[in-house]
Amino acid sequence: MRERLLMEQRMRLSLEAGHFEVWFQPRVDLRSRRIIGAEGLVRWRDPEQGLVSPGVFIPLAERSPLIHKLGRTVIEQVIGHARRWHAQGLDFGKLSMNVATPQIERGNLVGELRDILADVEVPRHMLEIEVTESLFMADAERAKRMLGEIRELGLSVAIDDFGTGYSSLAYLKTLPVNHLKIDRAFVRDLPEQASDAAIVRAILAMSQSLGFHVTAEGIETAAQLEFLADAGCVFGQGFLFHKPMPAAEFEALLKLTTPAPAAAPALPMLPPRAGLAGA
Ligand code: C2E
Ligand code: MG
Ligand code: MG
């Protein structure tokens, strides 16, 4: 308990000091390996502990009001980067941000997004919110309404870690969601593990008929990639392609991968103007 309080206290100070930064992990098209987007993943640069992984502090933050301030910082940073990269003509596809269930249940996510986006020039379809299935456990109707409002703002919505939580398939088809991210747990033992292979194929078939985009998470090996691409999975993310990287590094990568704008067509030679000759 004492340790938890101490860590909360340190997080609070770090939030004020701006010690949380968002890293980016590219998402790729599995066939061409082209970058089609990136996921924003928060990191805590703690002066004492160094770089702390979100697996350590997000569960703690979720149990305190800190998650709201932390969540806002993440959203502001991701949208800020999207604005700058878009202004520079860099092709980042879609940037996604993870949102914790309490941020939606007890916060004002829709209002915050509306506020932050009010004077930001970045097409809304270039932004995505990732939620987890736990969001649908307490008050599914309310969750559905909130996600509907996020879609009305023009953002897309993904279900993260799909398949590990409470998945009511009957409910899924009514949700204002357009993207499923298959959890790493189902990808890890592909292609050998027959039950995982069956689950992944089932998610892909269902997504295709319901019209969801699908991203497989945690792809680490060529064999996993081959299985997924053959099974019809279009998008993926994982160490085989790129690890999460600081924003500056992702920006440098975008500068290498964004196609140069088409050169302006050369102006045709104009014939000498009639009547000027000898003037
Ligand atoms: P997630 O949203 O499912 O993010 C994917 C996690 O898988 C990331 O861990 C990423 O580094 C890791 N990963 C990606 N590819 C591979 C791979 O090929 N192999 C392995 N072993 N791991 C891979 P990370 O960055 O440590 O984040 C962990 C979790 O913390 C995230 O899982 C997400 O649930 C949460 N999280 C991260 N950033 C935020 C945030 O800003 N807000 C909230 N609420 N949660 C966040
Ligand atoms: Mg995620
Ligand atoms: Mg995930």
Side-chain angles (χ1 to χ4, degrees):
M1 181 60 143
R2 192 168 153 267
E3 211 165 288
R4 212 180 100 187
L5 286 174
L6 272 175
M7 184 136 154
E8 272 188 38
Q9 171 71 3
R10 283 218 314 278
M11 280 181 74
R12 191 167 295 113
L13 294 173
S14 278
L15 265 169
E16 277 159 23
H19 290 162
F20 287 89
E21 60 194 76
V22 178
W23 286 32
F24 289 90
Q25 183 181 32
R27 285 199 304 122
V28 303
D29 176 306
L30 291 183
R31 295 221 172 263
S32 64
R33 294 191 174 211
R34 209 170 62 85
I35 295 176
I36 47 84
E39 173 172 11
L41 293 159
V42 71
R43 300 287 182 264
W44 177 11
R45 205 175 278 283
D46 181 39
E48 283 172 36
Q49 303 176 84
L51 209 59
V52 189
S53 124
V56 175
F57 63 84
I58 289 282
L60 195 71
E62 280 186 357
R63 282 188 274 145
S64 97
L66 279 176
I67 192 64
H68 302 291
K69 193 154 182 223
L70 177 60
R72 175 141 188 153
T73 300
V74 168
I75 295 172
E76 283 174 347
Q77 285 191 34
V78 171
I79 294 178
H81 288 304
R83 184 186 59 75
R84 275 192 319 109
W85 294 333
H86 181 61
Q88 292 178 54
L90 296 177
D91 182 12
F92 54 79
K94 206 187 271 285
L95 291 190
S96 69
M97 42 216 138
N98 291 282
V99 163
T101 292
Q103 270 176 275
I104 301 193
E105 282 178 346
R106 295 194 287 280
N108 173 27
L109 181 67
V110 179
E112 284 187 356
L113 282 169
R114 203 176 276 128
D115 266 10
I116 298 169
L117 286 167
D119 37 31
V120 170
E121 289 207 14
V122 54
R124 310 284 174 90
H125 70 267
M126 293 180 169
L127 299 170
E128 180 169 82
I129 295 293
E130 294 189 11
V131 301
T132 55
E133 290 165 274
S134 66
L135 178 62
F136 309 108
M137 289 185 72
D139 186 345
E141 280 307 311
R142 180 157 181 275
K144 195 165 140 181
R145 238 183 5 258
M146 307 277 288
L147 296 185
E149 287 177 31
I150 293 171
R151 291 295 303 279
E152 274 166 31
L153 284 178
L155 281 71
S156 45
V157 175
I159 299 188
D160 200 1
D161 307 338
F162 183 74
T164 58
Y166 163 88
S167 314
S168 156
L169 296 183
Y171 205 72
L172 188 64
K173 67 172 187 199
T174 70
L175 290 176
V177 160
N178 29 17
H179 183 188
L180 300 183
K181 299 188 80 177
I182 302 179
D183 193 71
R184 189 160 67 85
F186 302 115
V187 172
R188 192 171 38 222
D189 300 323
L190 292 178
E192 294 84 15
Q193 174 64 250
S195 54
D196 288 340
I199 291 171
V200 167
R201 283 190 206 281
I203 296 176
L204 290 169
M206 179 195 69
S207 302
Q208 200 170 29
S209 40
L210 291 178
F212 295 132
H213 294 291
V214 182
T215 297
E217 294 192 289
I219 305 176
E220 293 182 351
T221 69
Q224 291 165 344
L225 166 62
E226 193 186 338
F227 174 92
L228 288 159
D230 284 350
C233 186
V234 180
F235 304 120
Q237 184 176 338
F239 295 171
L240 179 66
F241 311 107
H242 303 276
K243 289 194 167 171
M245 60 189 93
E249 209 174 296
F250 181 56
E251 181 175 320
L253 182 62
L254 286 176
K255 285 181 177 154
L256 291 176
T257 54
T258 299
L267 288 175
M269 289 285 283
L270 293 175
R273 277 204 276 163
L276 282 184

